[in-house]
Amino acid sequence: MTDVLAMALTLAGLKLRDNGRVLSVDLTRDAALGFRLMEMGLTPGTMVRFVGAAPLGDPLEFGLRGYRLSLRRAEAELVSVEPPEADLNSTSPGS
């Protein structure tokens, strides 16, 4: 798990159509916003896909739990995710 945390990036760092698994939500910068992000489904272990961005790059759109969520780039930076390469090494329920 330590290796994964060292390689962690944020939702804002995902490339278009990349998947990531939520590791944590930063509650130290803005606790109320962090809790709100978790209430919207961004909890540890949740798979997230970067779907797209507005023409000027903000907001960002993500797919998770069967719905789409748009976040400002600053909000997306509060959510740490496993990089897509880490997903290849993990086992999924269907494999």
Side-chain angles (χ1 to χ4, degrees):
M1 184 74 165
T2 305
D3 293 336
V4 172
L5 289 175
M7 297 177 6
L9 69 152
T10 66
L11 282 179
L14 288 176
K15 294 183 176 134
L16 189 61
R17 292 184 288 281
D18 272 354
N19 293 316
R21 183 180 310 274
V22 175
L23 292 175
S24 65
V25 177
D26 184 358
L27 300 175
T28 60
R29 287 193 266 172
D30 187 340
L33 177 58
F35 283 117
R36 183 67 182 127
L37 292 172
M38 290 191 292
E39 288 171 348
M40 290 188 286
L42 291 167
T43 56
T46 301
M47 290 300 299
V48 180
R49 181 179 180 97
F50 179 33
V51 177
L56 296 177
D58 206 10
L60 308 174
E61 185 176 8
F62 301 94
L64 65 143
R65 299 181 182 256
Y67 77 99
R68 294 204 173 173
L69 175 66
S70 292
L71 298 173
R72 294 181 184 105
R73 187 170 296 277
E75 296 167 341
E77 288 174 354
L78 295 176
V79 183
S80 296
V81 294
E82 284 181 318
E85 309 85 57
D87 252 359
L88 297 175
N89 298 325
S90 67
T91 57
S92 63
S95 56

